[in-house]
Amino acid sequence: MKRTVSTLLDMKKNGEKITQLTCYDYSTALLMNEAGIDTILVGDSLGMTMQGYDTTLPVTMEEMITYGRSVVRGAKDIFVIMDMPFMSYQVSVAQAVENAGRLIKETGANAVKLEGGAAVKEQIKAIVDSGIPVCAHIGMTPQSVNVFGGFKVQGKGEANAERVLQDAFDVQEAGAFMCVLECVPPKLAELISKKVDMITIGIGASNKCDGQVLVWQDMAGISANVSPKFAKHFGEIGQAMKDAFATYSNEVKNATFPAVEHTYTKSDCSDDFLKSLDEKY
Ligand code: KIV
């Protein structure tokens, strides 16, 4: 059954943890659907995992839409959240509503995510007022990497901790139904999760959040980037893929692939006919 905002909020109320993974294509979304994942984030992390950039900053609206559409077709039962890329909502409230609308209309996804706390309150409120559910994202917000001077833990120290808590209250008040807490210390993440009704989704923020998200290539062991501390490998798919590519390469080079069972022998021409062709040409 398709997850919705209300079924997800019920999960929080019932103390049932919510699963989220990033996803950027149809085939992977189908597998996640079969595995029973609750929510997918079409993250702008695709700039790093799919496009090979060092940061998420170069990702465009058009790219998000292309990847998002493919994911939605495979995510029959999964609630799909589209990340709003850098500079698609920061300029003005009107720009934010217009781009959130495009992401929903042109992909068929269920919600949008944008980074920031108090600074994007107005944008969140206007997007929610236009009928689009919003997931907020506070703590370490990768689009501000140049302000943070790297991908670093946020909310360290008392003043910073209070600011992150206040951000959580602000985005909830603006109407966010869910909020990613990225690289937030465990006790602060626990306090935030207790104090807000919206769903908290942790990444590097302890098991005290209402749910967890990971970049799927990180958790499957196929990430080209240096994996952060929180990115546990739940499989070694990267090694399995490398082995398959190398075996394929060997078998093609020594002509053991394709074997008889991989060829259409039944529909082949008769030996006599081939002999006549051979003689003719
Ligand atoms: O873009 C992304 O994948 C994200 C997650 C890391 C939360 O924002």
Side-chain angles (χ1 to χ4, degrees):
M1 227 181 55
K2 183 85 179 173
R3 275 70 158 184
T4 64
V5 169
S6 69
T7 61
L8 293 168
L9 285 168
D10 281 349
M11 287 172 78
K12 165 154 180 153
K13 274 194 213 120
N14 298 333
E16 196 183 331
K17 295 282 188 190
I18 294 165
T19 53
Q20 184 169 111
L21 286 172
T22 67
C23 185
Y24 320 102
D25 69 276
Y26 170 74
S27 311
T28 312
L30 275 182
L31 295 174
M32 289 181 185
N33 202 71
E34 281 173 32
I37 295 298
D38 296 313
T39 65
I40 277 177
L41 172 65
V42 183
D44 61 355
S45 50
L46 65 84
M48 300 168 82
T49 58
M50 305 297 287
Q51 300 178 321
Y53 293 119
D54 289 337
T55 71
T56 59
L57 305 187
V59 177
T60 66
M61 278 290 295
E62 274 59 38
E63 288 165 341
M64 289 304 302
I65 288 166
T66 303
Y67 286 97
R69 264 188 202 138
S70 319
V71 169
V72 167
R73 288 188 204 114
K76 205 166 59 69
D77 304 317
I78 305 181
F79 188 91
V80 179
I81 302 164
M82 292 294 305
D83 233 346
M84 298 196 69
F86 183 55
M87 283 301 141
S88 69
Y89 57 93
Q90 289 92 341
V91 177
S92 69
V93 170
Q95 183 213 27
V97 174
E98 190 173 338
N99 282 326
R102 280 196 68 198
L103 289 172
I104 297 300
K105 217 172 160 145
E106 296 181 39
T107 66
N110 309 107
V112 297
K113 174 169 89 56
L114 60 160
E115 295 183 9
V120 292
K121 257 182 97 165
E122 296 309 314
Q123 281 90 333
I124 293 174
K125 184 172 182 329
I127 294 170
V128 172
D129 285 349
S130 71
I132 299 171
V134 169
C135 173
H137 183 160
I138 62 175
M140 209 291 288
T141 45
Q143 291 177 12
S144 303
V145 60
N146 290 319
V147 175
F148 298 143
F151 299 110
K152 295 178 180 163
V153 175
Q154 299 299 304
K156 280 200 246 171
E158 291 175 359
N160 284 333
E162 193 167 350
R163 184 183 48 76
V164 175
L165 177 63
Q166 191 56 54
D167 277 340
F169 289 139
D170 283 345
V171 296
Q172 170 164 270
E173 193 187 307
F177 81 101
M178 179 183 272
C179 184
V180 171
L181 306 182
E182 181 160 356
C183 295
V184 170
K187 286 181 192 151
L188 179 59
E190 183 174 12
L191 180 69
I192 294 171
S193 303
K194 193 178 84 182
K195 287 280 174 195
V196 296
D197 295 323
M198 65 181 173
I199 296 157
T200 60
I201 299 286
I203 175 163
S206 88
N207 62 358
K208 301 298 183 203
C209 299
D210 304 317
Q212 298 293 323
V213 61
L214 284 175
V215 168
W216 92 259
Q217 288 92 338
D218 286 347
M219 59 78 76
I222 66 171
S223 193
N225 308 307
V226 182
S227 267
K229 181 178 178 185
F230 53 76
K232 174 178 172 181
H233 285 195
F234 289 82
E236 292 302 340
I237 314 299
Q239 192 54 50
M241 286 172 79
K242 261 191 267 175
D243 290 347
F245 298 150
T247 306
Y248 167 75
S249 176
N250 285 338
E251 290 194 15
V252 169
K253 284 181 190 295
N254 64 27
T256 53
F257 175 82
V260 176
E261 63 267 33
H262 307 120
T263 52
Y264 297 103
T265 44
K266 277 194 188 137
S267 50
D268 212 347
C269 311
S270 70
D271 288 346
D272 284 349
F273 178 65
L274 287 174
K275 192 165 169 244
S276 70
L277 287 183
D278 194 16
E279 284 161 6
K280 189 169 166 189
Y281 294 97

